[in-house]
Amino acid sequence: MKAKLFFLTLLIVSISFNGQQKKKAAVKKSISTKTIPKLVQNYDDYENVYVTTGDLGCSNVIPRYDYTIDTGLLVKNHGDLDLVIKLINLEDNIASRMVYIEKNSSYEIKNIPQGRYVMKEAHGEIWKQKNIDGKCLGVFTQNPNYRQSKNVADFFVTKRIEGNSEVTSIPSYELELGMRFIKTPGQKSISTYHTNSISSSEFNK
């Protein structure tokens, strides 16, 4: 039986800090099937890049930080493939952060500037890059799959009055992703975290 590529995603979890209190939303699982892409593509003009879990240096992605606020996005990669996440600010449609997360590992993207963001995901093996006119293009050369979230993560800090006190809520999220190779059919269920399949060109925009 041919192995299939299964896409596992867990709902983004919002954590709001109020003094010493922490609120955490419920998490729902979602599994949907994706067959392994059979792409014939020439990667001769791409270069091997040594990468580990963490911020991924790319000439056209200038990391943006706001060290005055403790915002964060914890991404857990539970899949059999490595993962690259791009955090896109909807205000200017520019990637604020681009991180590499090896399979079965986690990384927290910290000090994210206030704004509303969507995520672009690249799953696969053997990451390579090339530069065209100063623009960095990155692709997985084996088992590639590219997706973009439909959900929007709101990283705006909010304040409210409770009694005689002003309470500040600093958003923090948790996202669990992964693509797995298994030989048996998977169940499909409904999740509130949704993605669209995109091309490698769309991922690199």
Side-chain angles (χ1 to χ4, degrees):
M1 185 180 293
K2 290 185 178 180
K4 287 184 178 292
L5 189 61
F6 283 77
F7 185 61
L8 169 67
T9 178
L10 296 185
L11 172 67
I12 292 179
V13 179
S14 177
I15 306 173
S16 177
F17 294 93
N18 174 5
Q20 296 181 349
Q21 297 180 351
K22 181 187 290 186
K23 297 179 181 178
K24 187 173 182 179
V27 177
K28 296 180 181 179
K29 278 188 178 181
S30 166
I31 299 178
S32 60
T33 61
K34 290 289 293 183
T35 57
I36 300 172
K38 294 183 178 179
L39 300 177
V40 178
Q41 188 169 344
N42 189 340
Y43 297 107
D44 289 345
D45 54 344
Y46 284 82
E47 296 181 354
N48 290 324
V49 181
Y50 176 73
V51 289
T52 58
T53 295
D55 278 299
L56 183 59
C58 221
S59 59
N60 54 300
V61 179
I62 301 174
R64 299 174 178 175
Y65 299 88
D66 186 344
Y67 294 107
T68 66
I69 51 177
D70 194 24
T71 51
L73 172 63
L74 176 61
V75 183
K76 299 179 179 180
N77 181 9
H78 293 304
D80 297 326
L81 302 175
D82 288 353
L83 168 67
V84 175
I85 285 281
K86 290 177 77 173
L87 203 56
I88 310 295
N89 190 317
L90 288 178
E91 182 178 356
D92 53 17
N93 201 34
I94 293 176
S96 293
R97 303 287 288 278
M98 184 175 180
V99 300
Y100 194 97
I101 306 173
E102 296 173 277
K103 61 184 180 181
N104 298 314
S105 62
S106 302
Y107 184 78
E108 185 173 9
I109 306 172
K110 297 182 179 180
N111 304 111
I112 299 167
Q114 294 189 65
R116 298 170 71 245
Y117 295 83
V118 293
M119 275 73 72
K120 287 185 178 180
E121 309 164 19
H123 302 256
E125 299 172 293
I126 307 181
W127 178 260
K128 293 188 177 185
Q129 292 180 187
K130 68 177 178 179
N131 281 278
I132 298 180
D133 298 327
K135 180 177 175 61
C136 170
L137 304 179
V139 295
F140 279 114
T141 57
Q142 290 187 13
N143 299 316
N145 193 283
Y146 305 92
R147 310 182 70 86
Q148 178 171 320
S149 68
K150 296 180 182 179
N151 299 69
V152 176
D154 189 334
F155 280 95
F156 281 107
V157 175
T158 60
K159 295 182 179 182
R160 66 182 186 276
I161 301 299
E162 287 189 2
N164 296 323
S165 302
E166 183 183 76
V167 178
T168 299
S169 294
I170 300 176
S172 181
Y173 295 89
E174 182 177 303
L175 183 60
E176 299 190 8
L177 300 169
M179 285 191 168
R180 293 177 177 170
F181 294 102
I182 58 178
K183 294 184 179 180
T184 55
Q187 291 181 322
K188 291 184 179 180
S189 60
I190 298 174
S191 169
T192 55
Y193 179 76
H194 303 282
T195 61
N196 285 327
S197 293
I198 59 176
S199 66
S200 60
S201 297
E202 287 291 323
F203 177 80
N204 280 295
K205 283 185 178 179

